[in-house]
Amino acid sequence: MDRWAVVERLHQLPEWRDPGEVRVLPIRYEDILAHEKTPDESEQIIDDLRAMGAAEAIFG
C-alpha cells in the first residue's frame, strides 16, 4: 500500500475531519473514544492518560 492509499483509508475513519486550509488538524482522544466508549468511559480514560503523563513528567 502506498502513502496515498494510506491517506485515503485514514480519511474514511469517523474521527477524521477536514482541516481546511490549515492542512493539519490533530485528532483528539475524545474524538477517537466517542465512537467506542460512553462519555463517562471516555472521561475516565482521558483522566488516566493525563495522570500517566504527569507521572512520566515527574519520574521520567
Side-chain angles (χ1 to χ4, degrees):
M1 182 177 290
D2 73 2
R3 173 184 174 180
W4 298 111
V6 172
V7 168
E8 190 63 35
R9 175 67 181 113
L10 291 174
H11 288 179
Q12 296 172 8
L13 296 173
E15 58 270 17
W16 184 82
R17 292 177 289 149
D18 187 347
E21 293 186 25
V22 176
R23 295 187 48 114
V24 175
L25 188 62
I27 299 175
R28 302 175 315 140
Y29 290 124
E30 293 89 340
D31 296 334
I32 296 168
L33 294 171
H35 298 284
E36 298 292 329
K37 303 292 181 185
T38 67
D40 289 339
E41 290 172 323
S42 295
E43 185 176 338
Q44 182 61 52
I45 291 168
I46 292 166
D47 287 346
D48 291 346
L49 289 170
R50 287 186 180 128
M52 289 188 315
E56 178 70 24
I58 293 170
F59 300 111

